[in-house]
Amino acid sequence: HNKMANQVNGNAVQLKEEEEPMDTSSVTHTEHYETLIEAGLPQKVAERLVAYVDLDERAIDALREFNEEGALSVLQQFKESDLSHVQNKSAFLCGVMKTYRQREKQGSKVQESTKGPDEAKIKALLERTGYTLDVTTGQRKYGGPPPDTVYSGVQPGIGTEVFVGKIPRDLYEDELVPLFEKAGPIWDLRLMMDPLSGQNRGYAFITFCSKDAAQEAVKLCDNYEIRPGKHLGVCISVANNRLFVGSIPKNKTKENILEEFSKVTEGLVDVILYHQPDDKKKNRGFCFLEYEDHKSAAQARRRLMSGKVKVWGNVVTVEWADPVEEPDPEVMAKATCFRFFHQVKVLFVRNLATTVTEEILEKSFSEFGKLERVKKLKDYAFVHFEDRGAAVKAMNEMNGKEIEGEEIEIVLAKPPDKKRKERQAARQASRSTAYEDYYYYPPPRMPPPIRG
């Protein structure tokens, strides 16, 4: 009985000699054990779970979907995980189960988790700074909030967060914090983790207690060589509250879309819709949904991507919207993410009347400077200037002006991000192949989401 008690509880606690031998029922048939059996878990799984009395129903329900072998394997992984900084063990176990399923789908065996952080160094960092560390399968969150001795105000707002990219995959808080705290007090640092490899995803978000500290972090740490040959990329990050939604029926109006998506998501404040050039009654099969904040947009994105929510009887495609406009000049000067703006000499001109020709555009825009070429496609065009200053002047002067009875909209064309190829194809299927080297923004008067 003693041996069984020790096995079931996963420890080597010896019974005192004066105590009576423990009856099996007092261990394996406790109320907790009976509850697990009643929940439909196999006996061996229930015995293994007895040690974890603080797991909630969600974790137990998820575990019930595994066969006995899978459940025991998941629990073994969970037992071997370092839980020292895990605040919510149920959520962590759910993460382990999700990772297990992903590995099964890929046909790869569940590997031993790769070497994690040096716990002695992490412990020394937390003791020195007084910050907390909360670990889940998807991220490691340092701080948020920081200790009162560091900062006791409200959570910092827009402009205080930086995005850190190109992080070596085996690097953790013990190397990141000492570097970034030189810029100013950190509110929190969220290092994104890849559950499949057990290493980080190569990027993190750091919120500082002030805008000045965030901008100082960009200045100090962008292109910083954190390890030999490994340079970080750092820029200001802004929370995204806009989603791109495809597979929209082309006969739906802005009002229809607003009403329908308000039924299945919360916090929707606006719909941005574009009409077909030859039929103003039809939309182009996609739209942008604007939410009141990043959290609402993220929740909406999760719901719409789950496959469980249908809109007009169909599952829609959802992505974070691309960034829409230039940041303020001070941020732009410091944030290297936006260096490309200093080279762009091409304008994207939309909402053109059918009667507008390339010749009319050439005549209208050439008064601002020498043009390289003009190309019109359906109801939009690209105007290439030789000089960036002329392009910016033309954009500022001509945006909102009427040509052939239609008010035109102008923004700077932006070089592509390879990762957006798929979205570009969906959004711009009709575009000439000569212009696959540009994508472009919605009108600049819209709010500017950047991070997603």
Side-chain angles (χ1 to χ4, degrees):
H1 288 310
N2 291 359
K3 188 178 175 187
M4 185 181 290
N6 293 342
Q7 283 175 342
V8 169
N9 287 294
N11 57 33
V13 177
Q14 295 294 316
L15 291 174
K16 291 177 187 172
E17 285 179 19
E18 62 267 28
E19 286 177 1
E20 287 182 27
M22 190 180 285
D23 181 53
T24 312
S25 61
S26 66
V27 178
T28 54
H29 297 162
T30 58
E31 191 179 334
H32 180 43
Y33 173 82
E34 295 295 349
T35 307
L36 296 173
I37 293 292
E38 282 168 24
L41 290 172
Q43 185 179 338
K44 282 185 182 176
V45 177
E47 284 173 8
R48 188 77 61 87
L49 268 179
V50 167
Y52 305 105
V53 287
D54 51 351
L55 294 178
D56 61 25
E57 284 178 30
R58 185 173 65 114
I60 309 268
D61 286 346
L63 201 59
R64 203 169 54 205
E65 292 177 21
F66 285 80
N67 60 28
E68 184 174 313
E69 185 190 348
L72 289 171
S73 182
V74 163
L75 287 173
Q76 187 60 31
Q77 269 186 276
F78 179 62
K79 185 184 172 190
E80 288 169 6
S81 300
D82 180 9
L83 302 175
S84 51
H85 303 294
V86 175
Q87 315 298 330
N88 186 335
K89 292 187 175 57
S90 293
F92 191 88
L93 177 58
C94 287
V96 172
M97 287 186 260
K98 186 179 176 182
T99 305
Y100 185 89
R101 286 202 187 283
Q102 284 173 320
R103 284 202 176 114
E104 266 191 332
K105 267 185 196 169
Q106 293 174 3
S108 59
K109 291 226 166 191
V110 178
Q111 309 152 354
E112 287 294 312
S113 110
T114 48
K115 185 174 172 289
D118 183 329
E119 278 305 323
K121 288 181 180 175
I122 298 292
K123 188 182 176 194
L125 171 72
L126 298 178
E127 283 175 359
R128 173 178 71 79
T129 62
Y131 278 66
T132 55
L133 180 63
D134 184 10
V135 175
T136 66
T137 51
Q139 74 171 19
R140 295 170 62 90
K141 185 183 177 188
Y142 168 85
D148 285 344
T149 50
V150 174
Y151 179 83
S152 55
V154 294
Q155 183 163 355
I158 291 169
T160 58
E161 183 180 78
V162 299
F163 170 82
V164 184
K166 302 184 188 172
I167 299 172
R169 300 300 171 108
D170 58 346
L171 187 147
Y172 297 92
E173 298 82 9
D174 55 303
E175 288 178 74
L176 286 171
V177 172
L179 171 63
F180 281 91
E181 66 186 358
K182 290 175 186 171
I186 292 171
W187 169 273
D188 72 13
L189 183 158
R190 298 181 315 286
L191 180 63
M192 301 303 150
M193 301 299 292
D194 179 1
L196 287 172
S197 70
Q199 296 188 313
N200 76 60
R201 288 184 182 273
Y203 67 95
F205 294 99
I206 304 177
T207 304
F208 287 88
C209 297
S210 70
K211 284 186 181 181
D212 288 348
Q215 288 175 4
E216 185 65 16
V218 173
K219 202 163 93 181
L220 284 178
C221 307
D222 182 43
N223 210 32
Y224 178 85
E225 191 172 10
I226 195 153
R227 283 187 185 168
K230 302 289 183 185
H231 297 262
L232 297 175
V234 184
C235 63
I236 298 290
S237 158
V238 179
N240 194 348
N241 54 356
R242 181 179 299 171
L243 300 178
F244 165 80
V245 181
S247 313
I248 299 287
K250 292 187 178 176
N251 61 343
K252 300 299 177 187
T253 64
K254 178 177 174 173
E255 290 69 29
N256 296 152
I257 295 168
L258 192 61
E259 182 186 353
E260 196 68 17
F261 280 92
S262 293
K263 289 177 189 172
V264 291
T265 63
E266 290 178 18
L268 182 61
V269 291
D270 194 17
V271 171
I272 298 132
L273 191 65
Y274 297 106
H275 299 291
Q276 294 193 11
D278 50 352
D279 187 351
K280 299 290 181 190
K281 288 181 182 174
K282 287 189 176 177
N283 71 63
R284 292 193 181 177
F286 67 86
C287 70
F288 293 93
L289 303 180
E290 186 83 36
Y291 287 84
E292 60 190 10
D293 54 31
H294 178 67
K295 188 179 179 184
S296 301
Q299 287 172 340
R301 178 175 170 269
R302 273 199 296 274
R303 284 208 73 193
L304 295 169
M305 284 178 78
S306 68
K308 296 171 186 171
V309 175
K310 292 193 175 181
V311 186
W312 297 295
N314 296 317
V315 173
V316 292
T317 54
V318 186
E319 289 284 358
W320 285 109
D322 291 337
V324 273
E325 68 182 41
E326 298 191 39
D328 69 67
E330 188 186 351
V331 172
M332 193 169 88
K334 294 190 177 185
T336 53
C337 302
F338 304 110
R339 283 184 187 136
F340 61 80
F341 280 113
H342 299 299
Q343 287 94 41
V344 174
K345 298 179 283 189
V346 184
L347 298 183
F348 171 62
V349 186
R350 76 163 91 235
N351 204 34
L352 296 175
T354 315
T355 52
V356 174
T357 62
E358 287 178 2
E359 290 71 29
I360 291 173
L361 289 170
E362 199 167 327
K363 190 179 175 187
S364 302
F365 284 91
S366 59
E367 60 186 82
F368 298 97
K370 196 169 179 190
L371 300 179
E372 287 180 351
R373 66 182 185 275
V374 174
K375 181 70 181 173
K376 188 192 175 196
L377 305 117
K378 294 201 171 180
D379 65 340
Y380 57 90
F382 291 93
V383 179
H384 296 246
F385 281 85
E386 282 190 0
D387 176 64
R388 176 187 158 79
V392 172
K393 190 179 179 195
M395 177 177 70
N396 293 336
E397 300 261 339
M398 294 291 289
N399 192 30
K401 293 277 172 70
E402 276 194 17
I403 298 184
E404 297 286 299
E406 287 281 0
E407 196 178 291
I408 63 169
E409 297 165 351
I410 308 173
V411 289
L412 287 167
K414 176 175 174 264
D417 179 336
K418 287 174 188 172
K419 291 180 183 176
R420 293 191 173 97
K421 283 278 163 119
E422 201 175 314
R423 271 177 284 164
Q424 280 178 264
R427 242 177 283 180
Q428 299 155 15
S430 61
R431 194 176 45 157
S432 156
T433 53
Y435 284 86
E436 279 178 3
D437 56 343
Y438 286 100
Y439 71 86
Y440 32 81
Y441 298 148
R445 56 177 167 270
M446 297 177 190
I450 290 179
R451 188 188 105 216

